[in-house]
Amino acid sequence: MRESVEWMVGGQQGEGVDSTGELFAKTLVRYGYSVSTYKQFMSRIKGGHTNYKIKATEKQNYYSGDGIDILLCLDKETLPKNEQSLNQGAVVIQEGKEILVEAGQASTGVSYTTFTLPLKKIATDLGNPLAKNMIALGISAGLVELPVEILNGFIEEIFGKKGEEVINSNKQAVLKGVELTKEHVPNQIKPLSVVPVSNQLFISGNEATAFGSLMAGCRYLSAYPITPASEVMEWLSDELPKVGGTVMQVEDEIAGICFAIGASYSGTRAMTSTSGPGLSLKTEALGMAGMSEVPIVIVNSQRGGPSTGLPTKHEQSDLQQMIYGTHGEIPRIVLYAATIEDAFYIAAEAFNLADQYQCPVIVGLDLGLSMNKMTVPTFDSKRVKIDRGKLITDEEAKDFNETHFKRYRLTEDGISPRPLPGMPHAVHTTSSNEHDESGYISEDQTNRINMMRKRLEKVRDAMIQEPFKYDDNGGESEIVLVGMGSTYGMIQETIKQLNEEGVINASHIHIQQLYPLPIDKLQPLIDGKRVVTVENNYNGQLLQLLRQHAPIHNNSEAITQYDGDPFTVSTIAKQVKELISWQR
Amino acid sequence: MRESVEWMVGGQQGEGVDSTGELFAKTLVRYGYSVSTYKQFMSRIKGGHTNYKIKATEKQNYYSGDGIDILLCLDKETLPKNEQSLNQGAVVIQEGKEILVEAGQASTGVSYTTFTLPLKKIATDLGNPLAKNMIALGISAGLVELPVEILNGFIEEIFGKKGEEVINSNKQAVLKGVELTKEHVPNQIKPLSVVPVSNQLFISGNEATAFGSLMAGCRYLSAYPITPASEVMEWLSDELPKVGGTVMQVEDEIAGICFAIGASYSGTRAMTSTSGPGLSLKTEALGMAGMSEVPIVIVNSQRGGPSTGLPTKHEQSDLQQMIYGTHGEIPRIVLYAATIEDAFYIAAEAFNLADQYQCPVIVGLDLGLSMNKMTVPTFDSKRVKIDRGKLITDEEAKDFNETHFKRYRLTEDGISPRPLPGMPHAVHTTSSNEHDESGYISEDQTNRINMMRKRLEKVRDAMIQEPFKYDDNGGESEIVLVGMGSTYGMIQETIKQLNEEGVINASHIHIQQLYPLPIDKLQPLIDGKRVVTVENNYNGQLLQLLRQHAPIHNNSEAITQYDGDPFTVSTIAKQVKELISWQR
Amino acid sequence: MATLKDLRGDTPSWCPGCGHFSIMAGIQKAVVQLGYEPHEFAIISGIGCSGKVSEYVRTNGFHTIHGRSVPVAQGVKMGNPDLKVIASGGDGDGYGIGLGHFVHASRRNIDMSYIVMDNNIYGLTKGQTSPRSEHGFVTKTTKEGNKEYPVDPVSTSLANGATFVAQAFAGDIKQMVDIIERAIEHKGFSHVNIYSPCVTFNKVNTYDFYKERLTKIEKPFEDRDEALAKVRELSGLVTGVLYEEKRPDFQGKLGIEFDTQSCTNGEMDEDLFHKMEKQFQ
Amino acid sequence: MATLKDLRGDTPSWCPGCGHFSIMAGIQKAVVQLGYEPHEFAIISGIGCSGKVSEYVRTNGFHTIHGRSVPVAQGVKMGNPDLKVIASGGDGDGYGIGLGHFVHASRRNIDMSYIVMDNNIYGLTKGQTSPRSEHGFVTKTTKEGNKEYPVDPVSTSLANGATFVAQAFAGDIKQMVDIIERAIEHKGFSHVNIYSPCVTFNKVNTYDFYKERLTKIEKPFEDRDEALAKVRELSGLVTGVLYEEKRPDFQGKLGIEFDTQSCTNGEMDEDLFHKMEKQFQ
Ligand SMILES: Cc1ncc(C[n+]2csc(CCOP(=O)(O)OP(=O)(O)O)c2C)c(N)n1
Ligand SMILES: Cc1ncc(C[n+]2csc(CCOP(=O)(O)OP(=O)(O)O)c2C)c(N)n1
Ligand code: SF4
Ligand code: SF4
Ligand SMILES: [Mg+2]
Ligand SMILES: [Mg+2]
């Protein structure tokens, strides 16, 4: 029995590759497996190669895997593009004139089996040419001995509205696939062991972020469509109206943040979501949120830059823009979830921090994390409690007894009690200009100094529950790998592999709070170690950030990849090994 | 005889404070003095206190001075606001019912003389109530024994069109002022010594930048009005049409940069100018210039941030936005002139670098440098030669013999031969998407890697003639003060003062090329020294930049000021002393 | 009931004689005469001399950034539909950098008023042409005269669906107050363009200029396109409410039971969590 | 003389049947029929399915960023007035995020053509409403139907001074080519809105939808406001050249002897330097 399987379907865009992949993933999830996925696609609507990769494991797993056990080819490009990833003994399913089972050998040396068959014809014979992908899924299920009932259940859900006939023909197609497996490629690969089913969610980073936001009380999102952030807007546009909130698709990204700032000023928990180009457009208004001390959450789902760049590819290159973007100096907090699970909590905490510190909070994501689904243990709805900070009631405002309420009152912690517009005893002024406590324009030097200190010091101690993940890997390590976002799973696996190979003992820091950077807590963990960042960008922006805070220049490097694809474990492992050998 | 004088006029906005100050400054310039000035003003059109500070010295001087020898008060706020700056023996001229000469003592302990007189009435008696400021100027001239002919010369220029009568009444007013001095406050302060007149220009940083741009062949500026950058646009809008170029005031800052990118793409040397809020808006298109490899010069004249902030106040807080602003990673060069003189050359070099490296070049300025005039030795028009980089002719393009010219040809130095649209043999595609050599969209990994390397490596060695100014101050120093922009003069004076006082020997680095930072050249100059940045912002952005490049964390600090005013020498000196005592 | 004094905020720093004074007074008067209290309003302003109005009228105020008062204001209204929301700013702010937002707001019809202080110039930056400056208008950067033609804001909002379109003149406070009152009471997006002479930098579009040229429209046109035709015919030199249409506002059309302000401290809503969680299982 | 083949650039990746194919072909045909060579043109496009046109038509091309083709294009023309400049992009690109630039370009009248591929939807981002989507239009983010009303682009450019305003339909190539040709030859800003069905995401505004509804205007109206009235009357469902006015273009009006391209390697112009230097002495 096998404890994991790596599966991929590839084909042309617009031909159901996505839905086929998702269906197989969900089947594995229902069977109790932990599933990680990765979709590759192009910036066009129809045509062009796309694929959907799955890794299913018994235990929680954060990486969709380097290899492939079953490769389902719906176009001619799939095999050549992915041959180098085939695992020993893999099965390749492909369309062909007639049924053929052949042995193949990849350029990497591994041998595999190709199972060629006339999928379309078989489906047509079954009375539903559209069901050809179902046959292929049946074959896949057959190979690892997944119970067809699960697939059939989904078929009923999906085709429910299309009537019995469609449902039946699809079910038949699945069965046919299983039969074909038994007949032509029996026992080709080991069956999956049975695991107990737990309460898992199968969810993407965008969805987890949107879900966390909604649960934290966010009732307003204004945004402009952009890959890979659009799903945040799409999911919330379905869900928010049910709870009295709404999503606004507005005319551009500047309006996106401005509407949200307006809504937040009025008291609603509000957010905007975007990707790189949109973030750049938002930086002026971001400064307004910082200066006027209006809470706001900005989700930035990173994609390949710069400029229009690689709109449908993965990258982590907006770090510096998230931390430094906007002219002048504002209070801000920059978070970046390590996993999809964390994305839920981080989103929820973001709204708390925005209210508590009355400042913008940027929630970083990356395409790898945003658009790909993964199973995670269901979220703990008790972990993050809603905290609206120094929001005050009209009653409380009344006690101040001011004709014009001092919105920017100087306080010990730099945070001013915040009334809302509409409160009878708290008429107040909010402003993007430098202002005095009343919110009125002030060019006075002393006031300026006080206000700058107030704003910029107030966030210094901001800290989320888990500002970084740390894995000391069971003891002394001479090297520490530092990452952020969707590289979490790959780094974990890399370390495990290196450890198993006896190459090196490495620890792992995965930073979730980029600004303010929890350097005091990080320092002891990197002291005396060789620091190696693993990041998807060219300049090593995370390394630069660390170096800014700690004098590790002579003992630190970055492992980078910037070709639009996520890391594989083997790439990271190889580079770590090179670094070590070079040092020794 | 005195070798320098510090003079200030203060009053309400809209009442000619500026023109009065400028007239006195120009008079001193004509007399052969080196003059530095500083204007303080508010973000409103009429009313509110404003003042114009002058320091005139025999030798070149880069700082408008901490003190005041002559204070001309055109409103009631001028004296209380500036009393603490009065030098021992200063003369304060102020409006009053009758002529009175009194002794005063400032809170700082210095004693001064007030000369009160009914300026308006005297002017009215002379037949021109508007000439009251001229009487005051006459008094000022009289006090330091400046020849009235110079002032008279300017009066003829200014009032030329208004006829003899106006000219004469103004001349009489000046004479009257001189007489009044002789009568009531003779020998109150020492006269200015006579100095030889050299070829000096009296010019602001904005003007020097605009002038340098024009001389470098810039023929197009598109921008949107914003303080303190508007003068760049205003000066060029007068001058460019004379040389076949033009200035476009467009609908917003995004259009500002986009028009310029368009013009530059077509082959014209083009620029845009702005301040913080505009820079933030431009960051998306900045990315396009970087990605599409279109040369472009962006002048960013910094003001008090964040957001609308302090629009008419001085600050140096856009450093990180200039270096990191935009999503993803682009080639760019960031320059920042140390003095008005350098502003001319830096502007000219910026256009060369933009063409040579086919990327955006950001020219930083700050309000102190931008809006204030200073005398500088006239520029050397031979110092910077125009270099258009790899621009090719149609003839040259023809040799490549390509139907579709490869705009993004991979070359050894990463810079591609650049034809212009309109060339018969060089039809080509320019793009903000990731592209192949032809400019066509490409999502191929190998191409991506090549193109990222090409773009980001090509600027690594970019270097202006004087990437930083260095003054070792005659020998061994234990401390090095590092600055940028308009703090040059103050730091120089501080070091001189500290040296004279025997407090410390400090060296001085003033960085003019912020990105790529010439760290290899800087390293030996900071090694083993205590590094102290002097900067007008809160976070110590320059310090952070240095720390990112050098492990100086335990031996470096920032002296900061962020109240909207420039440093004074005494502030810097005081803080340096504190740092030293604290260390010892 | 609120008095004019209650509506007084910070001391204005405008030049004496500036048209913006009248508009400020007009807003104050309208609020008082309609019987509202200062706290019921939020004035969202842009940047410019005009933008300072949110500090001078004592209601809730948000002095935003250049060109973005309209998107912020729409967000405010959506966040708290109980507020009366006024966006206000200059012609540069609204028809230059902010033009796109203005047109989109016109077609969206969120319930708010947009009061533009149109002085045909950029005041605060010292007198450059604005998108409302006349062709041929001379400034320090257009010494040979402006070569562009002005935006036609009233026709533009009419053509793009605004449900209340009016124009007023700072020199006629009575009519202006009446128009502002009607704009405030209109349910939907109301666009009020107000000619507001800049006495310091604009020597062409003076009080007299407008007094001599403006035609009063006594009664709104029944038909949007008639109003449009009239405005075009008179080159925009009209005052009065040009068009008003009763139509559900954007938020009304959404048909959502808005409940955006009830988020309070405490645990997440467990029931809601379990309901939502299902779709990912 | 150039042939259609010379105008062929990269291989289109649009969905089969997409209206953008016809518009691409229309531009190619117009260039060829007018007798121009590919190098004489610069096509400046935005981002969207539509934006790819600058890579598919083999002239000089600049694939810019979302919503900014028009400002870049105006800069290109000003930098090199000898180029024929076409800006092109989608309705989202031009009337959503880029709306402000479009109106300002209309009133500025720089000599270029702006061809909008109007499919009433955001194609490349997979089918959200665009500012041209009809009221009630259903998408995955407007499941209850679009609550906004569409922008009226043609009325807007007419009201704001555009000197050439036309509309075409991707389903009528002949008329479209004729219109594009006239737009290219027009001296000044020419606005051509082209209905271009998105066969993948827009199931409402199909070829048939337009075929059934469009009215042909055979001859441009003499008067701008007449054209405007007609467009309004027919809810924008017209094709043809609606209005054309001969008037000096912006650059012509500036009266500058443009000399922007002659900057070459070597020393600064010493004479010029000394002339300029004087004003600071
Ligand atoms: C993004 C940005 N660009 C430019 C400015 C500079 N600025 C301030 S006010 C203004 C124009 C003001 O004109 P208008 O909106 O007509 O208002 P007015 O002063 O005439 O009332 C400009 C360009 C700014 N503050 N922010
Ligand atoms: C600043 C920015 N925002 C958003 C996007 C994402 N985006 C790409 S194309 C597009 C809309 C395309 O719609 P349209 O302009 O109508 O062109 P079509 O695809 O329909 O031809 C959007 C929102 C982007 N690339 N840049
Ligand atoms: S500059 Fe003009 S608009 Fe500004 S306050 Fe003065 S008169 Fe009013
Ligand atoms: S999605 Fe629509 S607009 Fe885009 S290529 Fe396909 S049919 Fe054309
Ligand atoms: Mg104005
Ligand atoms: Mg579209």
Side-chain angles (χ1 to χ4, degrees), chain B residues 30 199-203 207 211 214-217 219-220 235 239 243-246 248 250-252 254-255 258-259 261-263 265-266 268-269 284-285 288 292 344 348 378-379 381-382 384-388 403-404 420-424 426-433 440-441, chain D residues 8-10 38-42 44 47 52 54-56 58-66 68 70-76 78-80 83 100-102 104-105 107-108 110 250 254 256-261 263-270 272-274 276-277 279-281:
Chain B
R30 279 281 157 91
N199 189 1
Q200 294 190 113
L201 307 184
F202 184 59
I203 186 169
E207 288 167 340
F211 188 11
L214 183 141
M215 290 314 304
R219 290 296 175 269
Y220 194 78
W235 191 83
E239 304 302 333
V243 293
T246 190
M248 282 296 286
V250 291
E251 58 267 26
D252 62 19
I254 297 176
C258 285
F259 270 73
I261 287 172
Y265 157 79
S266 85
T268 300
R269 280 200 157 177
E284 196 211 355
M288 163 164 70
S292 61
F344 178 88
T378 193
F379 307 123
S381 63
K382 302 222 183 315
V384 179
K385 298 196 182 26
I386 293 170
D387 181 344
R388 301 224 50 187
T403 315
H404 195 77
L420 295 179
M423 294 181 174
V427 172
H428 65 281
T429 297
T430 299
S431 180
S432 78
N433 285 278
Y440 292 149
I441 287 180
Chain D
R8 227 176 273 155
D10 200 12
H39 72 270
E40 297 176 272
F41 274 77
I44 317 298
I47 298 294
K52 295 178 177 173
S54 61
E55 306 193 13
Y56 301 159
R58 194 187 141 265
T59 63
N60 298 290
F62 193 165
H63 198 162
T64 72
I65 47 178
H66 193 46
R68 316 301 169 190
V70 173
V72 173
Q74 290 171 89
V76 173
M78 294 197 78
N80 182 354
L83 285 171
H101 303 306
F102 159 62
H104 291 294
R107 67 188 186 80
R108 192 176 284 127
I110 284 176
F250 180 85
L254 283 176
I256 297 168
E257 277 281 350
F258 281 98
D259 174 19
T260 57
Q261 303 259 326
C263 171
T264 45
N265 293 351
E267 280 184 7
M268 288 178 179
D269 179 339
E270 184 107 17
L272 181 62
F273 176 79
H274 290 305
M276 294 275 163
E277 172 194 45
Q279 61 178 288
F280 302 111
Q281 278 167 341

Side-chain angles (χ1 to χ4, degrees), chain A residues 119-133 135 169:
Chain A
L119 284 167
K120 192 147 181 203
K121 187 172 164 293
I122 300 172
T124 313
D125 291 349
L126 289 175
N128 184 354
L130 294 173
K132 77 183 179 62
N133 293 3
I135 301 174
S169 64

